[in-house]
Amino acid sequence: MGLRLSAVRLLRAFAAANARLTAAVVAVGVISGLLVPAFAVSTGALVGAIRRGDSVAAPLAVIVVVFVAGRLLDPAREQLGEAMWRQVDESVSRRLMRAMSRPPGLAHVEDPAVRDRLAQADGLVAGVTPGEAGWWLGPVLLLWVQGAVSLVVVASYRWWMAIVLAGAYAFAYRVSRRHWHDVTLVLMGRTPRLRRSYYLRTLALTPDVAKETRVFGLAGWMVDRYREGWLGEMREIWRTRREGWLAGVGSAFAVASIELLAVGTVAWEGAHGTMTLQSTVILTQAIVGAAVLATYVEGNWFLSDFIRILDRIEEIQSAGDTTGGLALRSARSASGLPRRVIRFDGVTFAYPGRSEPVFRDLDLEIEAGRSLAIVGENGAGKTTLIKLLSRLYDPDEGAVTADGIDLRDLDPAGWHRRIAAVFQDYVQFEVSAHDNVAFGALHRRSEDRAIVEAARLAGAAPAIEQLPHGWSTPLTRELTGGAELSGGEWQRLAVARALFAVRSGAGVLILDEPTASLDVRGEAQVYARFLELTRGVTTIVVSHRFSTVRRADRIVVVEHGRVVEDGTHDALMGREGRYAAMYTLQAAKFVTGTADEDAA
């Protein structure tokens, strides 16, 4: 990308973070960059005035102004840079959050290549935050303005000298920039392996896994493996740095030789009277001031890296648009759907990057307003079926329809509002208990009575009311005044969130192993209450517990990506097939007191 386009792109990105702050940083940087050339000219004028016996008031006044301006602008530039750092970090974080969360599908979220780009854009790989580029904007602008204006001063006295110096500076800058570029390529090329190393560091710092890391004695192993992995990747980077050092030293010597020759020429002309003392002083200082153009300083790398960060953000946005998993053919309203039936019609689906499909020509009909239980062995495709129904993915072949309308023709956000779900890996939001329920229907977040009622119906209210600050208590011990819930209490809270969504207009309820952390009696109570409260709502239940499954209006058995049995509990037991065998096995274990909830 050309220098001009890169500069425009940088300024637009910084202005998007904070336009006024960017303008202030640019103004201070430009003015600061003019101070060295102004000092060179004014000191030359002062020497000339003294030599001629003229008044020194004017050049001395300029020198004083330059000196005071420098003293004032240095701390101003530092403070503006710190503020810019924070603003740019916040702006990049906001853009990354939008890029990852806005697309309604999941494919880009689970794509390793997208995760690599996210790590690069977030500064995890380089070990610095994007906002550091904002801090460096002022200093780098200062150097460029100082160098360019100083070179113009040189050209005003000896045009050929300015051309020679410009060529030398461009050569040295290119060599240095190439070296930094090579190091960056090596660093970015190791993103997947560095991510694995950083994962180990995260494990050592995260309280969620602290119990197991201590019980199994993993702490020392994780620290050692992190150190070995990180050092292993960094050695190649250090080697690349060493290889570029010799070229950098050579170019620096070449530039220094040319600069010494230029200064020597100026001194010779001044000593022999072919150049006035005033011009000699000005030209010598201008050569020194222009020398900054030869160096690709750390700030240049930060700005170049920020361009790469912008590229990564755009790639992540593009991945969300194209591989977010959803084909946006139209945006029909999903309001009121389904009224009659949801149908999987010849659905074939494989996860991105995998050749073996989870489903091949799957056919399934789900009657609206009734409950359906899905059972099967682990890996049979039960959760994948839920993801397709929720339209977190689109099928590769076939269609999922609601009342005959392909879900791909519906507004994804509108269909998602029709879904209430308690997933197997439900989220334990580290926010207030109130918001943990309110997230089921954000448009009703202010309706406290409805939120409390949903929690009461799900059996979560007693635990919440005993928290230190009641409904406003953050549900994490990592925040001041926070508290932690038990596994069963968290599941009841997740059920309350789904129930709040149903009572706020969701028409399809998905329960994917929602009560695994509850005992059998607690599960029975939750389901008995839940099925009663959601009567008339299309309900899909995935569970290994047949005491739960048998309550559904209809049961299907999924095996190897196909529906192999379909019917009511009594009908399937009468067939003495796969369902009957799984039910009998689990029932026998309960009778003998060795219930294995994963028997199915």
Side-chain angles (χ1 to χ4, degrees):
M1 181 180 294
L3 180 60
R4 179 181 297 178
L5 291 178
S6 296
V8 170
R9 194 176 177 199
L10 279 172
L11 290 176
R12 284 179 177 173
F14 291 139
N18 190 313
R20 291 184 178 180
L21 186 58
T22 300
V25 170
V26 169
V28 170
V30 170
I31 296 171
S32 299
L34 294 172
L35 296 183
V36 168
F39 186 79
V41 173
S42 58
T43 52
L46 177 63
V47 170
I50 294 173
R51 185 174 181 82
R52 294 189 301 271
D54 297 339
S55 172
V56 299
L60 193 59
V62 174
I63 292 174
V64 170
V65 169
V66 169
F67 182 81
V68 173
R71 290 296 178 267
L72 294 176
L73 290 176
D74 284 348
R77 189 171 59 253
E78 180 72 24
Q79 292 300 316
L80 289 171
E82 293 289 343
M84 196 69 187
W85 187 333
R86 293 189 293 271
Q87 291 285 331
V88 172
D89 272 341
E90 192 277 333
S91 177
V92 169
S93 296
R94 189 171 62 247
R95 291 185 64 181
L96 288 174
M97 289 172 67
R98 282 200 300 261
M100 294 299 293
S101 62
R102 272 191 176 178
L106 282 184
H108 73 296
V109 177
E110 299 175 346
D111 186 344
V114 173
R115 305 303 301 186
D116 286 346
R117 296 187 188 105
L118 180 62
Q120 294 170 2
D122 204 30
L124 177 65
V125 176
V128 295
T129 68
E132 291 192 54
W135 188 92
W136 277 103
L137 175 62
V140 170
L141 193 58
L142 179 157
L143 295 177
W144 278 92
V145 171
Q146 173 187 314
V149 175
S150 295
L151 207 57
V152 169
V153 173
V154 173
S156 66
Y157 287 92
R158 295 291 185 270
W159 63 266
W160 58 268
M161 186 177 291
I163 292 175
V164 172
L165 289 172
Y169 295 155
F171 170 75
Y173 182 87
R174 187 179 182 86
V175 170
S176 182
R177 182 177 181 273
R178 181 65 185 179
H179 171 57
W180 281 83
H181 177 71
D182 290 343
V183 172
T184 302
L185 287 180
V186 173
L187 179 63
M188 296 303 166
R190 275 151 179 73
T191 297
R193 293 190 287 274
L194 286 171
R195 277 181 56 209
R196 286 193 287 271
S197 293
Y198 293 142
Y199 171 71
L200 293 175
R201 181 183 66 179
T202 301
L203 289 181
L205 300 176
T206 303
D208 295 346
V209 298
K211 297 187 296 293
E212 294 198 32
T213 57
R214 281 152 179 78
V215 169
F216 294 117
L218 299 177
W221 179 88
M222 286 191 301
V223 172
D224 291 341
R225 289 297 299 269
Y226 165 71
R227 182 175 182 275
E228 292 171 5
W230 184 83
L231 285 176
E233 301 307 324
M234 294 305 293
R235 285 191 186 98
E236 180 64 19
I237 297 170
W238 294 334
R239 184 186 64 80
T240 305
R241 284 181 175 176
R242 288 194 300 269
E243 290 176 351
W245 180 82
L246 186 60
V249 170
S251 64
F253 272 116
V255 171
S257 299
I258 294 173
E259 288 175 332
L260 287 174
L261 184 61
V263 171
T265 300
V266 172
W268 187 90
E269 291 190 26
H272 288 77
T274 58
M275 182 179 293
T276 65
L277 182 60
Q278 175 177 336
S279 299
T280 302
V281 172
I282 293 174
L283 194 51
T284 302
Q285 291 185 88
I287 293 172
V288 174
V292 296
L293 295 176
T295 308
Y296 188 84
V297 297
E298 187 178 14
N300 295 111
W301 180 84
F302 275 106
L303 293 176
S304 296
D305 188 61
F306 191 66
I307 291 290
R308 280 186 288 271
I309 288 173
L310 296 177
D311 290 337
R312 297 297 172 266
I313 293 173
E314 291 176 0
E315 290 168 1
I316 293 171
Q317 291 171 333
S318 177
D321 292 339
T322 58
T323 62
L326 306 183
L328 305 180
R329 301 195 305 208
S330 61
R332 295 180 60 175
S333 173
S335 178
L337 297 178
R339 297 179 180 88
R340 300 187 306 275
V341 66
I342 296 173
R343 182 175 286 111
F344 287 72
D345 187 8
V347 169
T348 296
F349 174 77
Y351 284 103
R354 300 182 184 179
S355 57
E356 186 65 26
V358 179
F359 297 123
R360 193 188 300 275
D361 296 324
L362 172 68
D363 293 313
L364 175 64
E365 187 174 290
I366 304 172
E367 187 178 352
R370 297 177 65 81
S371 58
L372 171 73
I374 304 172
V375 300
E377 296 180 349
N378 290 332
K382 304 184 296 296
T383 298
T384 301
L385 188 148
I386 296 302
K387 290 181 179 179
L388 291 170
L389 174 61
S390 304
R391 212 189 166 203
L392 299 174
Y393 284 95
D394 280 338
D396 299 323
E397 297 178 15
V400 182
T401 63
D403 295 346
I405 303 173
D406 194 325
L407 295 190
R408 285 171 287 203
D409 292 325
L410 297 176
D411 171 36
W415 178 249
H416 288 167
R417 284 192 293 271
R418 296 293 296 157
I419 302 289
V422 182
F423 292 108
Q424 185 174 358
D425 53 347
Y426 62 89
V427 179
Q428 299 179 9
F429 292 104
E430 295 183 359
V431 296
S432 68
H434 173 278
D435 283 349
N436 261 280
V437 178
F439 282 177
L442 276 178
H443 62 284
R444 297 185 63 194
R445 183 170 176 262
S446 61
E447 300 182 28
D448 294 346
R449 293 180 62 182
I451 290 171
V452 172
E453 178 66 8
R456 185 188 68 80
L457 294 172
I464 296 172
E465 290 164 358
Q466 294 177 11
L467 294 173
H469 305 287
W471 283 91
S472 62
T473 305
L475 298 185
T476 173
R477 289 197 183 98
E478 296 181 45
L479 294 177
T480 303
E484 185 60 86
L485 299 180
S486 68
E489 289 168 342
W490 268 116
Q491 282 206 320
R492 291 179 187 273
L493 199 62
V495 170
R497 183 162 57 240
L499 183 57
F500 183 56
V502 169
R503 294 195 144 210
S504 300
V508 179
L509 174 62
I510 296 170
L511 305 172
D512 186 1
E513 299 285 5
T515 55
S517 294
L518 299 178
D519 57 29
V520 176
R521 179 175 299 178
E523 179 191 42
Q525 292 173 348
V526 168
Y527 269 106
R529 184 185 299 116
F530 218 72
L531 292 177
E532 178 63 29
L533 293 171
T534 58
R535 189 174 301 278
V537 176
T538 306
T539 305
I540 297 94
V541 178
V542 175
S543 179
H544 283 87
R545 285 176 173 172
F546 285 88
S547 59
T548 296
V549 169
R550 65 177 298 171
R551 298 172 183 271
D553 297 325
R554 178 168 154 243
I555 302 166
V556 295
V557 180
V558 178
E559 198 169 88
H560 304 303
R562 294 176 180 272
V563 174
V564 296
E565 291 186 7
D566 185 347
T568 64
H569 170 74
D570 292 337
L572 292 175
M573 291 299 294
R575 294 177 192 172
E576 299 183 352
R578 183 73 178 116
Y579 176 82
M582 291 189 291
Y583 182 88
T584 302
L585 177 62
Q586 191 172 98
K589 289 180 177 289
F590 273 104
V591 170
T592 60
T594 58
D596 181 358
E597 296 172 5
D598 291 329

